[in-house]
């Protein structure tokens, strides 16, 4: 199945011309999982060491994410009164709803008891992790280690479903390896046991996070069950999200590793889907009403009085371009083409994002705040001119306030007006970052 970031000719960032992808469908505007409404149908995947309460609220504030999930948490740890880490993983604030807690474990009774505690804490949903490939989890028969024992999974399904009233879901991988693909059988068992939705990371345990996600497995699961199916794997751009929905029929998309490096991805998907719907509406009204003009290097924009404006007209820095433009087909010529726009963060927005996230970490007083700042610095400063120097300064810092000071010093120097009295560059993203 085609993923747009596979197009090596597209040096401008995996964008797609609307007329080159007429088969794309927007991600659904909403999804019901049991009694919980998810709007839009875009989910932040649970990620160890990433999706703590600070990152979840940070993503929520940026917009476009319908459901957030905790880090995966040991059911045994939840039941141990002295396990402070498990308690921290399950800490959340009221503005995080709807929120799902993800647990892992292999003992049905322990899983059921932990699920009851999660329900009592006020979570909207509970999710079972059958996807983690880490050796220390697998060797305890947790995460994807259970994929070789479907009867044991069935017992966990039954125990947890009987113990809680909130929606119960499961996130799993396709199988242990290519010879042991169990995703369809597992999804059917989940439906039979009364689970409300399934999420498939379309890789095997043996793959880990390498290679390509096999979206055809998501399609197979969707064709096998009536409960909602959430697709996960290799969504790096809004176009990929729409391609997954178009090719698999999944009811929602889940974003994992792309989120820390591009926290805007959720809002970008929402913007792209809105533009896609507007474009399709324009096409149904006739070709002359469906054109949005934009520019590529070497091209001159030809404005059209009959063009439908999708969002707004973007310049070369914010337009998602395709191989059509990158290949130089329009160099030296005056040519217009259709592209569906979504926001790209400017340097000022990136600065505001880093500063906001780091301040949130400091205010939350997490014990590992310094480590998280250093961890996220490499993602958040990717593509920033001089970012390597900033990352070095961050890694050499000893405290959270020192790290924040380094960030502010670096960006304030870069964003100084070029001339006396020159206005600062406008940046629409600042309004949504708090």
């Amino acid at each position: 199945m085609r993923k747009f970031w596979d197009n090596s000719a597209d040096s401008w960032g995996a964008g797609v011309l609307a007329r080159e992808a007429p088969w794309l469908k927007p991600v659904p505007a909403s999804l019901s999982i049991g009694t919980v409404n998810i709007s839009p149908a875009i989910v932040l995947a649970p990620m160890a060491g990433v999706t703590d309460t600070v990152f979840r609220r940070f993503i929520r504030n940026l917009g476009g994410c319908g459901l957030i999930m905790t880090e995966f948490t040991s059911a045994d740890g939840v039941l141990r009164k002295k396990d402070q880490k498990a308690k921290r993983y399950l800490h959340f604030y009221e503005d995080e709803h709807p929120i799902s807690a993800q647990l892992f474990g292999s003992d049905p009774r322990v899983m059921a008891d932990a699920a009851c505690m999660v329900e009592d804490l006020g979570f909207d949903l509970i999710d079972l992790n059958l996807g983690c490939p880490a050796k220390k989890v697998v060797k305890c028969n947790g995460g994807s280690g259970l994929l070789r024992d479907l009867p044991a999974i069935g017992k966990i399904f039954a125990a947890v479903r009987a113990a809680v009233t909130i929606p119960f879901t499961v996130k799993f991988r396709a199988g242990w390896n290519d010879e042991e693909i169990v995703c369809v059988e597992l999804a059917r068992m989940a439906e039979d046991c009364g689970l409300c939705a399934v999420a498939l990371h379309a890789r095997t345990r043996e793959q880990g996070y390498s290679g390509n996600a096999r979206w055809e497995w998501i399609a197979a699961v969707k064709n096998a069950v009536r409960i909602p199916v959430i697709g996960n794997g290799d969504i790096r751009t809004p176009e990929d999200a729409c391609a997954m929905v178009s090719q698999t029929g999944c009811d929602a998309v889940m974003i994992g590793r792309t989120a820390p490096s591009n926290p805007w991805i959720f809002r970008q998907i929402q913007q792209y889907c809105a533009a896609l719907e507007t474009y399709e509406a324009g096409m149904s009204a006739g070709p002359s009403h469906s054109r949005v003009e934009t520019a590529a290097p070497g091209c001159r924009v030809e404005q059209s009085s009959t063009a439908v404006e999708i969002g707004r007209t973007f310049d070369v820095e914010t337009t998602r371009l395709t191989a059509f433009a990158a290949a130089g087909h329009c160099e030296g010529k005056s040519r217009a083409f259709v592209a569906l726009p979504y926001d790209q963060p400017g340097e000022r927005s990136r600065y505001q994002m880093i500063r906001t996230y780091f301040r949130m970490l400091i205010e939350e007083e997490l014990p590992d705040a310094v480590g998280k700042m250093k961890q996220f610095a490499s993602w958040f400063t990717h593509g920033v001119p001089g970012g390597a120097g900033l990352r070095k300064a961050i890694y050499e810092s000893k405290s959270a306030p020192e790290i924040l000071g380094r960030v502010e010093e670096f960006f304030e120097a870069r964003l100084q007006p070029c001339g006396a009295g020159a206005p600062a560059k406008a940046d629409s993203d600042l309004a949504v970052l708090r």
Side-chain angles (χ1 to χ4, degrees):
M1 292 187 172
R2 182 184 177 191
K3 304 181 183 73
F4 291 103
W5 49 264
D6 288 334
N7 187 353
S8 60
D10 181 4
S11 61
W12 297 100
V16 173
L17 296 184
R19 68 183 182 200
E20 291 186 351
W23 48 272
L24 284 181
K25 296 179 181 178
V27 175
S30 64
L31 164 71
S32 292
I33 300 180
T35 58
V36 179
N37 182 63
I38 310 302
S39 180
I42 309 171
V43 183
L44 171 64
M47 290 177 281
V50 177
T51 53
D52 58 21
T53 182
V54 174
F55 187 75
R56 294 193 306 262
R57 286 183 286 126
F58 176 67
I59 291 294
R60 181 73 85 200
N61 287 344
L62 283 171
C65 182
L67 176 66
I68 52 180
M69 302 183 72
T70 68
E71 302 176 67
F72 80 117
T73 306
S74 165
D76 287 315
V78 171
L79 298 181
R80 286 197 297 267
K81 293 183 179 179
K82 294 182 180 180
D83 195 328
Q84 296 301 316
K85 182 180 289 187
K87 291 180 180 178
R88 190 170 76 246
Y89 287 173
L90 295 178
H91 171 67
F92 71 97
Y93 292 94
E94 284 302 311
D95 60 357
E96 295 185 54
H97 291 291
I99 181 172
S100 175
Q102 190 185 66
L103 300 177
F104 75 92
S106 57
D107 185 309
R109 181 185 59 79
V110 172
M111 286 293 302
D113 289 345
C116 287
M117 291 187 65
V118 164
E119 183 172 35
D120 290 342
L121 288 172
F123 282 92
D124 301 290
L125 308 94
I126 184 167
D127 186 75
L128 171 64
N129 181 302
L130 295 179
C132 179
K135 289 182 179 179
K136 66 179 181 180
V137 174
V138 170
K139 73 178 182 180
C140 299
N141 214 26
S144 58
L146 279 168
L147 294 175
R148 285 181 155 177
D149 193 346
L150 293 187
I153 294 175
K155 293 177 181 178
I156 294 173
F157 282 169
V160 173
R161 182 65 287 173
V164 298
T165 60
I166 58 175
F168 176 29
T169 64
V170 61
K171 182 175 185 285
F172 56 98
R173 285 178 177 250
W176 184 264
N177 54 36
D178 284 344
E179 286 69 49
E180 300 177 60
I181 302 301
V182 298
C183 53
V184 170
E185 185 178 357
L186 180 50
R188 285 174 174 158
M189 185 168 66
E191 183 175 43
D192 292 342
C193 290
L195 274 70
C196 300
V198 297
L200 175 60
H201 180 177
R203 286 183 171 86
T204 63
R205 188 270 165 181
E206 193 174 79
Q207 275 185 278
Y209 297 97
S210 65
N212 291 327
R214 300 278 297 277
W215 289 359
E216 57 266 32
W217 288 331
I218 300 174
V221 168
K222 177 60 183 173
N223 289 332
V225 297
R226 295 181 298 276
I227 57 177
V229 175
I230 303 169
N232 176 226
D234 287 354
I235 295 179
R236 304 181 187 180
T237 69
E239 294 90 346
D240 288 327
C242 293
M244 177 183 280
V245 170
S246 302
Q247 297 181 40
T248 70
C250 64
D251 302 284
V253 296
M254 179 179 283
I255 311 295
R257 290 172 295 160
T258 297
S261 59
N262 178 21
W264 275 272
I265 183 66
F266 302 93
R267 191 174 65 186
Q268 288 174 332
I269 292 173
Q270 213 177 12
Q271 291 172 334
Y272 184 82
C273 290
L276 186 61
E277 290 174 340
T278 303
Y279 175 79
E280 291 173 345
M283 284 297 291
S284 64
S288 64
H289 295 280
S290 62
R291 206 172 66 193
V292 173
E293 317 299 345
T294 187
C299 297
R300 184 170 70 253
V301 177
E302 293 180 359
Q303 295 293 349
S304 169
S305 59
T306 60
V308 158
E309 182 180 355
I310 300 178
R312 53 191 164 117
T313 301
F314 284 72
D315 61 25
V316 295
E317 292 182 351
T318 54
T319 302
R320 303 298 284 178
L321 302 175
T322 66
F324 174 83
H329 292 179
C330 54
E331 293 217 358
K333 301 178 181 179
S334 177
R335 183 170 184 176
F337 58 91
V338 176
L340 302 181
Y342 47 86
D343 288 345
Q344 286 294 332
E347 195 164 314
R348 186 174 297 274
S349 283
R350 195 172 294 275
Y351 167 41
Q352 187 74 355
M353 175 181 69
I354 298 171
R355 185 170 60 174
T356 299
Y357 178 69
F358 283 8
R359 283 179 173 175
M360 290 173 68
L361 279 173
I362 293 172
E363 291 171 2
E364 192 64 27
E365 298 182 345
L366 295 178
D368 54 350
V370 172
K372 283 185 176 291
M373 285 180 170
K374 294 181 178 181
Q375 173 190 3
F376 278 77
S378 60
W379 290 325
F380 284 3
T381 61
H382 179 72
V384 174
L390 174 58
R391 288 190 289 274
K392 183 175 184 294
I394 289 173
Y395 296 146
E396 292 174 350
S397 299
K398 305 298 184 183
S399 68
E402 183 182 359
I403 292 174
L404 181 58
R406 296 282 191 177
V407 169
E408 292 177 339
E409 179 183 338
F410 174 85
F411 279 100
E412 291 294 346
R414 288 188 56 83
L415 296 172
Q416 286 296 324
C418 296
K425 182 179 178 181
D427 199 320
S428 60
D429 291 323
L430 290 175
V432 299
L433 285 164
R434 300 190 283 274

